[in-house]
Amino acid sequence: MYLFNSDYLEGAHPLILKALMDTNLIQTPGYGTDDICRAAAEKILAACEKPDSFVHFLVGGTQTNMTVISAFLKPWEGVISADTGHINVHETGAVESTGHKVLALPGSNGKISAGQIEACASAHMADGDREHTVKPAMVYLSQSTELGTLYSLAELTEIHGVCRKYALKLFVDGARLAYALACGENDVTLKDLAHLTDAFYIGGTKCGALFGEALVISSPELSEHFRYMIKQKGGMLAKGRLLGVQFGTLFTDRLYEKVGAHGIRLADRLRAALSENGYRLFAESPTNQLFPIFSARQLEALQKEFSFTLWQKFDDGAAVRICTSWATDEKAVDRLIDMLRELKEQ
Amino acid sequence: MYLFNSDYLEGAHPLILKALMDTNLIQTPGYGTDDICRAAAEKILAACEKPDSFVHFLVGGTQTNMTVISAFLKPWEGVISADTGHINVHETGAVESTGHKVLALPGSNGKISAGQIEACASAHMADGDREHTVKPAMVYLSQSTELGTLYSLAELTEIHGVCRKYALKLFVDGARLAYALACGENDVTLKDLAHLTDAFYIGGTKCGALFGEALVISSPELSEHFRYMIKQKGGMLAKGRLLGVQFGTLFTDRLYEKVGAHGIRLADRLRAALSENGYRLFAESPTNQLFPIFSARQLEALQKEFSFTLWQKFDDGAAVRICTSWATDEKAVDRLIDMLRELKEQ
Amino acid sequence: MYLFNSDYLEGAHPLILKALMDTNLIQTPGYGTDDICRAAAEKILAACEKPDSFVHFLVGGTQTNMTVISAFLKPWEGVISADTGHINVHETGAVESTGHKVLALPGSNGKISAGQIEACASAHMADGDREHTVKPAMVYLSQSTELGTLYSLAELTEIHGVCRKYALKLFVDGARLAYALACGENDVTLKDLAHLTDAFYIGGTKCGALFGEALVISSPELSEHFRYMIKQKGGMLAKGRLLGVQFGTLFTDRLYEKVGAHGIRLADRLRAALSENGYRLFAESPTNQLFPIFSARQLEALQKEFSFTLWQKFDDGAAVRICTSWATDEKAVDRLIDMLRELKEQ
Amino acid sequence: MYLFNSDYLEGAHPLILKALMDTNLIQTPGYGTDDICRAAAEKILAACEKPDSFVHFLVGGTQTNMTVISAFLKPWEGVISADTGHINVHETGAVESTGHKVLALPGSNGKISAGQIEACASAHMADGDREHTVKPAMVYLSQSTELGTLYSLAELTEIHGVCRKYALKLFVDGARLAYALACGENDVTLKDLAHLTDAFYIGGTKCGALFGEALVISSPELSEHFRYMIKQKGGMLAKGRLLGVQFGTLFTDRLYEKVGAHGIRLADRLRAALSENGYRLFAESPTNQLFPIFSARQLEALQKEFSFTLWQKFDDGAAVRICTSWATDEKAVDRLIDMLRELKEQ
């Protein structure tokens, strides 16, 4: 049985494990105040071409989202998100647990537009009773989104403009950023993210690391007390150097790019096979998540050898999610493509 | 320069790293729902001789403390702690950030007594205006404490009795539990903890793992929805199996005992050397934390080769904390003992 | 200029002011523990025909909503509401500020159905990853709703059934309950509310009192520690007897019914005049809130003598809200009806 | 039976009730945006001789404390208070429920000193691991304190200086401010409070009003979004004009001073009688709260005619609290003085 359910099914890229072995008995001070973390942060800022930003390492995505959002917002402020956004649907109310409302806007393929954001912010400002409603003060996007789609540089720039106009902070969740960056359709670079957002993070957990997200904050004001928040919200690893070791490795010899490229190359092969064999898609995505619709007959056959994530059930069959990653075995992809060919509807 | 500052200066015990290597490319479902975690939990419950308890794995200590406390308490309830308790002084108000007051009682060598707890609980119940004050509903202890001291089985049993009498939940922070268990003076076993507490945790971060704490909850009521809380509070690792791998290894062939024994043996050697050479102690502790007082002259000489944690400054010199651990190099201990001998006051 | 903007534009019903005068220098203990409050609570429970329920008095509606919801929910639980529900749109995120997500369902004329609630609860239970999403645990309704509409007894009974099936607590916001009870179309009594809900409140602020809401809780479990929550959330009035005096008066000689009847009688007259003269309505409502659509010409003329709440702007004109209450002056209604007649489109 | 338990046993000063009657049927917009509130705010600022400050009206003291503290602090910040401070002991953890730790310092007669505050703030800044501890960012004082004592102008000025030095906000709870201002020993004026604090409030509940506290905020930055917080925390009264009516009356013809003067004059008579007749005091206080110690014999006799608040039980007798207020009946004071004379120890 081969699992295509997600991009966090295995451990870490072998080079990362090797780095953990090599540094294992080095003594460092705790909580990420060590030289290994400092060096990794410098590599990340160099890759972002923004040396005056600030890097903080956290353990996981939900943790990063709630820590950033609760650190940046005042108590009466809320965060705008697509209704399909991870913070709105898949974090057990972590943002609300810190006291803030998620202002969900209807997404289109997992994305929201500058126009929608502007309408939300300007409606609040025009409300004579505005203190009776939550003040929109931040925008949360994912790149790639929960449906595998991408914001283009033009879209991101326009959203950035609206955020400046209405004093909204812009925060991008990059849990799957390696696959976004490696995607042929993508035109948003690390440099763009570092310059257009108030904060974004470079996902490690789904992109080759055992765990860990590298948060990049643009301004000293937002970064100054951020370590208090990491500690309070439970995200400060005693052996913080583990995050430095992993991200240092990912940003050496372009490993982060290679990790993304492997996942995207195999996803592209699957995407082509699905298309050539006439499979319908539940959602169009250019990155490492695919959402094909299979009939009951097809599903039964495929599930003898493969496992997918059930996305939505239909009367005859279901939409499923197939994920590739840095760890996906090409032979499994070969075999799945063969089966897609055999099982296609006549 | 050799660091004695704390017990989280290195990576993981080599057997744990090996287990991570060996399992690296195995595919498992995420979030700790895999067989590796299940097997590790079973080993832990076997070691606790309490098969009907429930194990949950979390990443770190502050995270575990605030997740347990906020899961178990109602909004108007507070948690009793020694004033020196980790939750009261060293977690950036993590417990308060979840809405609960820490009811700090003056500790004696880091410990509070059954009598103090009873006085606090009964005073609340006797208060005619009791709804104007926070209701004590939980007791937080550390074993070993932040000052390296231990609760005896008699003390713990008495505290357990008071907790039952006043419907207080009893929660024990075992971040340094391996060193408590290995200590010659200790008479509290894993089985005792599992039977006397509502929840306690077996520390991994400071006891041989890269990171991770194994929480043992006694009752199905308290455990039933606990995974919602782990997720919401940011403690649910996508690659949850990493915790299963580590704790599975620690509870195979008594590794957890060996880890503790190494730290305690070296601490005992240092303790003896301090005593034999007439050094005063800031606090008496039988476990892996020592708190000697050094004169300025002694400190200057020692700090050429060793680093300690500054505990309290005095006019001439300071109290420092020396920690040993599973990773402490015996040669460094030999050299430190030599220096203690050379530097002793005439 | 006569104001029809809302139902909280004046002070209190003269009988309530008189009662405050009459009791002014009586000495009572504080915080609602006095005999006046006890007597008022008994009158309310008698009116509800449910003597084993529990009454708590609070100062305002938002305060009552957030206190009840945060008292009844566990940290990982959320509350289902119509998207137009007061807690979702007009309380500055008060519920979220206590850590809970509002699970907003699309309302139909301000109401949600038993079917929608069941779909939401059953989808959660069917989710294999359910701990990644907020657990629906409570239903919030308003009677009358924010759009002036009413739940029928059949609807409320069906919702009650779904709540029992899925262990959802049922909570009804009765800020405008006097007008709901007095409405000709209504078939839900105080007794029904007391027997079908876990808690509901009898609005005072908009129904003749200076301020105050009387919360009725059905079970001793939910009521037992509720005073701790009132205090913590800032809703415990030192001179709690002020609430007892007011509600005691409202529930003497059927004053609460008379208050509602006056508001409804005048609303009915306006409703008839709007209909007879061909005005369109933005929303159909049988209670004390009306939502007519006026052209720019009509609005300009009306606003010379009257003030309304702007509800939604259109290219030519706007929908406005007109409220009547216990205090509405019949002469103002007469004059408004005259103008509606004069200004009608030919 | 005459009650001396507290200063909130009766309704309101007759002039306030009269003003409520006189304005009862005036129509005003809601939520304190009316002209009555505006006029009252202007009177208050005139009395404070600080026209560029901002006035917000809230309903009660606990509500005001938690709203101000949670509005002014960042999530990782805490508030310094005397251990006897109302926020630390008598608000059911309201401050903690908003996520903030109360940093309690040992009080001396209910007061803390500039030196204690400086030691707390400077210790935090000197801590190398400071992000592991709550950042002190605000100081909470009460004038008069919970033990009836007063800060002198010299003390307040010194505390103000420390606050400026360490960027601590200074907030004064004036729930009993009328009695502080009227006290012969007092040298702190409304003007001083307005100029030395970031915010303070003028208590209404205990000083002649039915309810209500008038908060004065010094800076536009702190005031700008404060109404969002009042709404979110449940403190925004729909009929906000009730607060304007009451405070407008209290600040007309020096009523607030007269209210305080009556309470203090009667307290002074009782204080003299206690002293002349050799009664010991549990705490020395110059304001409207007295803390005499009575033997069991004395208590038994006194409690036939009077009720006090039990403060602390002793083997033979108890310390009690006696409060006077604007409403205290001079004849009751006469009688109590007579009994004190009769019951004195020989």
Side-chain angles (χ1 to χ4, degrees), chain D residues 251-276:
Chain D
F251 280 84
T252 296
D253 295 338
R254 301 182 168 274
L255 180 57
Y256 199 69
E257 293 178 27
K258 294 170 193 165
V259 153
H262 182 81
I264 288 296
R265 189 173 60 80
L266 297 185
D268 283 346
R269 288 193 55 205
L270 286 169
R271 200 161 6 243
L274 287 164
S275 167
E276 286 158 16

PDB file of all heavy atoms in Angstrom, chain D residues 251-276:
ATOM      1  N   PHE D 251     -21.238  66.125  38.849  1.00  0.00           N
ATOM      2  CA  PHE D 251     -20.292  67.212  38.623  1.00  0.00           C
ATOM      3  C   PHE D 251     -20.983  68.551  38.399  1.00  0.00           C
ATOM      4  O   PHE D 251     -20.454  69.441  37.726  1.00  0.00           O
ATOM      5  CB  PHE D 251     -19.306  66.838  37.500  1.00  0.00           C
ATOM      6  CG  PHE D 251     -18.232  65.931  38.043  1.00  0.00           C
ATOM      7  CD1 PHE D 251     -18.434  64.565  38.153  1.00  0.00           C
ATOM      8  CD2 PHE D 251     -17.035  66.454  38.528  1.00  0.00           C
ATOM      9  CE1 PHE D 251     -17.465  63.733  38.704  1.00  0.00           C
ATOM     10  CE2 PHE D 251     -16.059  65.635  39.078  1.00  0.00           C
ATOM     11  CZ  PHE D 251     -16.281  64.274  39.168  1.00  0.00           C
ATOM     12  N   THR D 252     -22.175  68.670  38.949  1.00  0.00           N
ATOM     13  CA  THR D 252     -22.879  69.954  38.974  1.00  0.00           C
ATOM     14  C   THR D 252     -22.971  70.394  40.440  1.00  0.00           C
ATOM     15  O   THR D 252     -23.295  69.571  41.314  1.00  0.00           O
ATOM     16  CB  THR D 252     -24.297  69.773  38.381  1.00  0.00           C
ATOM     17  OG1 THR D 252     -24.161  69.392  37.005  1.00  0.00           O
ATOM     18  CG2 THR D 252     -25.095  71.075  38.469  1.00  0.00           C
ATOM     19  N   ASP D 253     -22.680  71.665  40.667  1.00  0.00           N
ATOM     20  CA  ASP D 253     -22.754  72.211  42.040  1.00  0.00           C
ATOM     21  C   ASP D 253     -21.976  71.360  43.047  1.00  0.00           C
ATOM     22  O   ASP D 253     -22.407  71.167  44.180  1.00  0.00           O
ATOM     23  CB  ASP D 253     -24.236  72.304  42.497  1.00  0.00           C
ATOM     24  CG  ASP D 253     -25.002  73.306  41.654  1.00  0.00           C
ATOM     25  OD1 ASP D 253     -24.362  74.187  41.041  1.00  0.00           O
ATOM     26  OD2 ASP D 253     -26.241  73.191  41.592  1.00  0.00           O
ATOM     27  N   ARG D 254     -20.846  70.818  42.577  1.00  0.00           N
ATOM     28  CA  ARG D 254     -19.909  70.105  43.462  1.00  0.00           C
ATOM     29  C   ARG D 254     -20.560  68.942  44.216  1.00  0.00           C
ATOM     30  O   ARG D 254     -20.170  68.612  45.339  1.00  0.00           O
ATOM     31  CB  ARG D 254     -19.300  71.081  44.472  1.00  0.00           C
ATOM     32  CG  ARG D 254     -18.555  72.237  43.805  1.00  0.00           C
ATOM     33  CD  ARG D 254     -17.904  73.175  44.821  1.00  0.00           C
ATOM     34  NE  ARG D 254     -16.966  74.092  44.149  1.00  0.00           N
ATOM     35  CZ  ARG D 254     -15.695  73.795  43.883  1.00  0.00           C
ATOM     36  NH1 ARG D 254     -15.205  72.629  44.235  1.00  0.00           N
ATOM     37  NH2 ARG D 254     -14.930  74.673  43.257  1.00  0.00           N
ATOM     38  N   LEU D 255     -21.551  68.281  43.620  1.00  0.00           N
ATOM     39  CA  LEU D 255     -22.204  67.180  44.329  1.00  0.00           C
ATOM     40  C   LEU D 255     -21.215  66.077  44.687  1.00  0.00           C
ATOM     41  O   LEU D 255     -21.292  65.470  45.760  1.00  0.00           O
ATOM     42  CB  LEU D 255     -23.359  66.600  43.483  1.00  0.00           C
ATOM     43  CG  LEU D 255     -24.116  65.441  44.117  1.00  0.00           C
ATOM     44  CD1 LEU D 255     -24.703  65.812  45.483  1.00  0.00           C
ATOM     45  CD2 LEU D 255     -25.251  64.952  43.195  1.00  0.00           C
ATOM     46  N   TYR D 256     -20.257  65.806  43.771  1.00  0.00           N
ATOM     47  CA  TYR D 256     -19.294  64.726  44.048  1.00  0.00           C
ATOM     48  C   TYR D 256     -18.515  65.033  45.327  1.00  0.00           C
ATOM     49  O   TYR D 256     -18.250  64.144  46.133  1.00  0.00           O
ATOM     50  CB  TYR D 256     -18.356  64.536  42.861  1.00  0.00           C
ATOM     51  CG  TYR D 256     -17.648  63.197  42.855  1.00  0.00           C
ATOM     52  CD1 TYR D 256     -18.352  62.020  42.621  1.00  0.00           C
ATOM     53  CD2 TYR D 256     -16.277  63.095  43.077  1.00  0.00           C
ATOM     54  CE1 TYR D 256     -17.711  60.783  42.611  1.00  0.00           C
ATOM     55  CE2 TYR D 256     -15.623  61.873  43.069  1.00  0.00           C
ATOM     56  CZ  TYR D 256     -16.349  60.716  42.837  1.00  0.00           C
ATOM     57  OH  TYR D 256     -15.710  59.495  42.833  1.00  0.00           O
ATOM     58  N   GLU D 257     -18.186  66.291  45.533  1.00  0.00           N
ATOM     59  CA  GLU D 257     -17.469  66.667  46.763  1.00  0.00           C
ATOM     60  C   GLU D 257     -18.360  66.494  47.986  1.00  0.00           C
ATOM     61  O   GLU D 257     -17.910  66.033  49.041  1.00  0.00           O
ATOM     62  CB  GLU D 257     -16.993  68.122  46.688  1.00  0.00           C
ATOM     63  CG  GLU D 257     -15.926  68.331  45.623  1.00  0.00           C
ATOM     64  CD  GLU D 257     -15.488  69.783  45.511  1.00  0.00           C
ATOM     65  OE1 GLU D 257     -15.585  70.522  46.516  1.00  0.00           O
ATOM     66  OE2 GLU D 257     -15.057  70.169  44.396  1.00  0.00           O
ATOM     67  N   LYS D 258     -19.623  66.861  47.836  1.00  0.00           N
ATOM     68  CA  LYS D 258     -20.535  66.756  48.984  1.00  0.00           C
ATOM     69  C   LYS D 258     -20.762  65.302  49.378  1.00  0.00           C
ATOM     70  O   LYS D 258     -20.827  64.955  50.566  1.00  0.00           O
ATOM     71  CB  LYS D 258     -21.872  67.428  48.647  1.00  0.00           C
ATOM     72  CG  LYS D 258     -21.737  68.943  48.457  1.00  0.00           C
ATOM     73  CD  LYS D 258     -23.025  69.558  47.887  1.00  0.00           C
ATOM     74  CE  LYS D 258     -22.796  70.989  47.404  1.00  0.00           C
ATOM     75  NZ  LYS D 258     -23.902  71.470  46.538  1.00  0.00           N
ATOM     76  N   VAL D 259     -20.896  64.461  48.378  1.00  0.00           N
ATOM     77  CA  VAL D 259     -21.061  63.025  48.619  1.00  0.00           C
ATOM     78  C   VAL D 259     -19.895  62.489  49.437  1.00  0.00           C
ATOM     79  O   VAL D 259     -20.073  61.778  50.438  1.00  0.00           O
ATOM     80  CB  VAL D 259     -21.173  62.299  47.253  1.00  0.00           C
ATOM     81  CG1 VAL D 259     -20.698  60.876  47.339  1.00  0.00           C
ATOM     82  CG2 VAL D 259     -22.603  62.382  46.735  1.00  0.00           C
ATOM     83  N   GLY D 260     -18.678  62.845  49.009  1.00  0.00           N
ATOM     84  CA  GLY D 260     -17.493  62.393  49.731  1.00  0.00           C
ATOM     85  C   GLY D 260     -17.436  62.975  51.141  1.00  0.00           C
ATOM     86  O   GLY D 260     -17.112  62.277  52.116  1.00  0.00           O
ATOM     87  N   ALA D 261     -17.776  64.234  51.252  1.00  0.00           N
ATOM     88  CA  ALA D 261     -17.640  64.921  52.536  1.00  0.00           C
ATOM     89  C   ALA D 261     -18.560  64.304  53.593  1.00  0.00           C
ATOM     90  O   ALA D 261     -18.176  64.146  54.759  1.00  0.00           O
ATOM     91  CB  ALA D 261     -17.951  66.408  52.363  1.00  0.00           C
ATOM     92  N   HIS D 262     -19.766  63.944  53.202  1.00  0.00           N
ATOM     93  CA  HIS D 262     -20.692  63.326  54.149  1.00  0.00           C
ATOM     94  C   HIS D 262     -20.121  62.006  54.670  1.00  0.00           C
ATOM     95  O   HIS D 262     -20.108  61.754  55.887  1.00  0.00           O
ATOM     96  CB  HIS D 262     -22.045  63.086  53.464  1.00  0.00           C
ATOM     97  CG  HIS D 262     -23.080  62.488  54.368  1.00  0.00           C
ATOM     98  ND1 HIS D 262     -23.820  63.229  55.261  1.00  0.00           N
ATOM     99  CD2 HIS D 262     -23.495  61.205  54.540  1.00  0.00           C
ATOM    100  CE1 HIS D 262     -24.643  62.441  55.931  1.00  0.00           C
ATOM    101  NE2 HIS D 262     -24.467  61.203  55.497  1.00  0.00           N
ATOM    102  N   GLY D 263     -19.669  61.176  53.776  1.00  0.00           N
ATOM    103  CA  GLY D 263     -19.098  59.891  54.179  1.00  0.00           C
ATOM    104  C   GLY D 263     -17.906  60.072  55.105  1.00  0.00           C
ATOM    105  O   GLY D 263     -17.759  59.367  56.121  1.00  0.00           O
ATOM    106  N   ILE D 264     -17.032  61.017  54.756  1.00  0.00           N
ATOM    107  CA  ILE D 264     -15.810  61.215  55.552  1.00  0.00           C
ATOM    108  C   ILE D 264     -16.139  61.810  56.927  1.00  0.00           C
ATOM    109  O   ILE D 264     -15.552  61.412  57.940  1.00  0.00           O
ATOM    110  CB  ILE D 264     -14.821  62.108  54.770  1.00  0.00           C
ATOM    111  CG1 ILE D 264     -14.229  61.318  53.602  1.00  0.00           C
ATOM    112  CG2 ILE D 264     -13.725  62.664  55.685  1.00  0.00           C
ATOM    113  CD1 ILE D 264     -13.383  60.127  53.998  1.00  0.00           C
ATOM    114  N   ARG D 265     -17.066  62.754  56.959  1.00  0.00           N
ATOM    115  CA  ARG D 265     -17.408  63.364  58.248  1.00  0.00           C
ATOM    116  C   ARG D 265     -17.895  62.298  59.235  1.00  0.00           C
ATOM    117  O   ARG D 265     -17.467  62.250  60.395  1.00  0.00           O
ATOM    118  CB  ARG D 265     -18.474  64.441  58.068  1.00  0.00           C
ATOM    119  CG  ARG D 265     -18.730  65.276  59.330  1.00  0.00           C
ATOM    120  CD  ARG D 265     -19.671  66.435  59.066  1.00  0.00           C
ATOM    121  NE  ARG D 265     -20.968  65.995  58.587  1.00  0.00           N
ATOM    122  CZ  ARG D 265     -21.952  65.515  59.352  1.00  0.00           C
ATOM    123  NH1 ARG D 265     -21.787  65.394  60.659  1.00  0.00           N
ATOM    124  NH2 ARG D 265     -23.103  65.149  58.826  1.00  0.00           N
ATOM    125  N   LEU D 266     -18.733  61.409  58.768  1.00  0.00           N
ATOM    126  CA  LEU D 266     -19.252  60.373  59.659  1.00  0.00           C
ATOM    127  C   LEU D 266     -18.180  59.334  59.989  1.00  0.00           C
ATOM    128  O   LEU D 266     -18.121  58.836  61.126  1.00  0.00           O
ATOM    129  CB  LEU D 266     -20.503  59.733  59.051  1.00  0.00           C
ATOM    130  CG  LEU D 266     -21.676  60.709  58.859  1.00  0.00           C
ATOM    131  CD1 LEU D 266     -22.915  59.968  58.363  1.00  0.00           C
ATOM    132  CD2 LEU D 266     -21.997  61.468  60.151  1.00  0.00           C
ATOM    133  N   ALA D 267     -17.333  59.022  59.030  1.00  0.00           N
ATOM    134  CA  ALA D 267     -16.223  58.100  59.320  1.00  0.00           C
ATOM    135  C   ALA D 267     -15.307  58.714  60.370  1.00  0.00           C
ATOM    136  O   ALA D 267     -14.839  58.022  61.286  1.00  0.00           O
ATOM    137  CB  ALA D 267     -15.446  57.789  58.039  1.00  0.00           C
ATOM    138  N   ASP D 268     -15.044  59.998  60.234  1.00  0.00           N
ATOM    139  CA  ASP D 268     -14.168  60.665  61.210  1.00  0.00           C
ATOM    140  C   ASP D 268     -14.773  60.619  62.613  1.00  0.00           C
ATOM    141  O   ASP D 268     -14.057  60.434  63.611  1.00  0.00           O
ATOM    142  CB  ASP D 268     -13.922  62.122  60.791  1.00  0.00           C
ATOM    143  CG  ASP D 268     -12.906  62.237  59.648  1.00  0.00           C
ATOM    144  OD1 ASP D 268     -12.206  61.231  59.367  1.00  0.00           O
ATOM    145  OD2 ASP D 268     -12.816  63.321  59.036  1.00  0.00           O
ATOM    146  N   ARG D 269     -16.072  60.804  62.718  1.00  0.00           N
ATOM    147  CA  ARG D 269     -16.720  60.714  64.028  1.00  0.00           C
ATOM    148  C   ARG D 269     -16.524  59.308  64.620  1.00  0.00           C
ATOM    149  O   ARG D 269     -16.205  59.169  65.800  1.00  0.00           O
ATOM    150  CB  ARG D 269     -18.212  61.029  63.916  1.00  0.00           C
ATOM    151  CG  ARG D 269     -18.509  62.510  63.653  1.00  0.00           C
ATOM    152  CD  ARG D 269     -19.996  62.801  63.868  1.00  0.00           C
ATOM    153  NE  ARG D 269     -20.428  62.387  65.191  1.00  0.00           N
ATOM    154  CZ  ARG D 269     -21.681  62.061  65.532  1.00  0.00           C
ATOM    155  NH1 ARG D 269     -22.638  62.117  64.599  1.00  0.00           N
ATOM    156  NH2 ARG D 269     -21.980  61.672  66.759  1.00  0.00           N
ATOM    157  N   LEU D 270     -16.716  58.291  63.782  1.00  0.00           N
ATOM    158  CA  LEU D 270     -16.543  56.920  64.276  1.00  0.00           C
ATOM    159  C   LEU D 270     -15.086  56.655  64.636  1.00  0.00           C
ATOM    160  O   LEU D 270     -14.800  56.011  65.660  1.00  0.00           O
ATOM    161  CB  LEU D 270     -17.011  55.911  63.214  1.00  0.00           C
ATOM    162  CG  LEU D 270     -18.531  55.809  63.038  1.00  0.00           C
ATOM    163  CD1 LEU D 270     -18.869  54.997  61.797  1.00  0.00           C
ATOM    164  CD2 LEU D 270     -19.167  55.167  64.287  1.00  0.00           C
ATOM    165  N   ARG D 271     -14.166  57.159  63.796  1.00  0.00           N
ATOM    166  CA  ARG D 271     -12.738  56.956  64.053  1.00  0.00           C
ATOM    167  C   ARG D 271     -12.367  57.554  65.419  1.00  0.00           C
ATOM    168  O   ARG D 271     -11.661  56.933  66.220  1.00  0.00           O
ATOM    169  CB  ARG D 271     -11.937  57.609  62.932  1.00  0.00           C
ATOM    170  CG  ARG D 271     -10.534  57.084  62.808  1.00  0.00           C
ATOM    171  CD  ARG D 271      -9.871  57.381  61.436  1.00  0.00           C
ATOM    172  NE  ARG D 271     -10.652  58.229  60.578  1.00  0.00           N
ATOM    173  CZ  ARG D 271     -11.154  57.859  59.385  1.00  0.00           C
ATOM    174  NH1 ARG D 271     -10.916  56.645  58.920  1.00  0.00           N
ATOM    175  NH2 ARG D 271     -11.857  58.705  58.673  1.00  0.00           N
ATOM    176  N   ALA D 272     -12.878  58.746  65.663  1.00  0.00           N
ATOM    177  CA  ALA D 272     -12.577  59.406  66.941  1.00  0.00           C
ATOM    178  C   ALA D 272     -13.139  58.603  68.106  1.00  0.00           C
ATOM    179  O   ALA D 272     -12.466  58.396  69.133  1.00  0.00           O
ATOM    180  CB  ALA D 272     -13.146  60.825  66.934  1.00  0.00           C
ATOM    181  N   ALA D 273     -14.352  58.112  67.933  1.00  0.00           N
ATOM    182  CA  ALA D 273     -14.983  57.345  69.014  1.00  0.00           C
ATOM    183  C   ALA D 273     -14.221  56.050  69.280  1.00  0.00           C
ATOM    184  O   ALA D 273     -14.039  55.653  70.450  1.00  0.00           O
ATOM    185  CB  ALA D 273     -16.436  57.038  68.656  1.00  0.00           C
ATOM    186  N   LEU D 274     -13.773  55.406  68.258  1.00  0.00           N
ATOM    187  CA  LEU D 274     -12.993  54.179  68.438  1.00  0.00           C
ATOM    188  C   LEU D 274     -11.718  54.492  69.205  1.00  0.00           C
ATOM    189  O   LEU D 274     -11.337  53.771  70.140  1.00  0.00           O
ATOM    190  CB  LEU D 274     -12.659  53.557  67.070  1.00  0.00           C
ATOM    191  CG  LEU D 274     -13.833  52.895  66.345  1.00  0.00           C
ATOM    192  CD1 LEU D 274     -13.499  52.680  64.868  1.00  0.00           C
ATOM    193  CD2 LEU D 274     -14.187  51.553  67.005  1.00  0.00           C
ATOM    194  N   SER D 275     -11.067  55.543  68.808  1.00  0.00           N
ATOM    195  CA  SER D 275      -9.804  55.919  69.442  1.00  0.00           C
ATOM    196  C   SER D 275     -10.024  56.316  70.897  1.00  0.00           C
ATOM    197  O   SER D 275      -9.327  55.832  71.812  1.00  0.00           O
ATOM    198  CB  SER D 275      -9.190  57.066  68.642  1.00  0.00           C
ATOM    199  OG  SER D 275      -8.132  57.648  69.367  1.00  0.00           O
ATOM    200  N   GLU D 276     -11.000  57.193  71.098  1.00  0.00           N
ATOM    201  CA  GLU D 276     -11.251  57.671  72.458  1.00  0.00           C
ATOM    202  C   GLU D 276     -11.596  56.531  73.408  1.00  0.00           C
ATOM    203  O   GLU D 276     -11.302  56.609  74.610  1.00  0.00           O
ATOM    204  CB  GLU D 276     -12.407  58.678  72.456  1.00  0.00           C
ATOM    205  CG  GLU D 276     -11.996  60.033  71.882  1.00  0.00           C
ATOM    206  CD  GLU D 276     -13.199  60.831  71.396  1.00  0.00           C
ATOM    207  OE1 GLU D 276     -14.343  60.475  71.781  1.00  0.00           O
ATOM    208  OE2 GLU D 276     -13.013  61.765  70.609  1.00  0.00           O
TER     209      GLU D 276
END
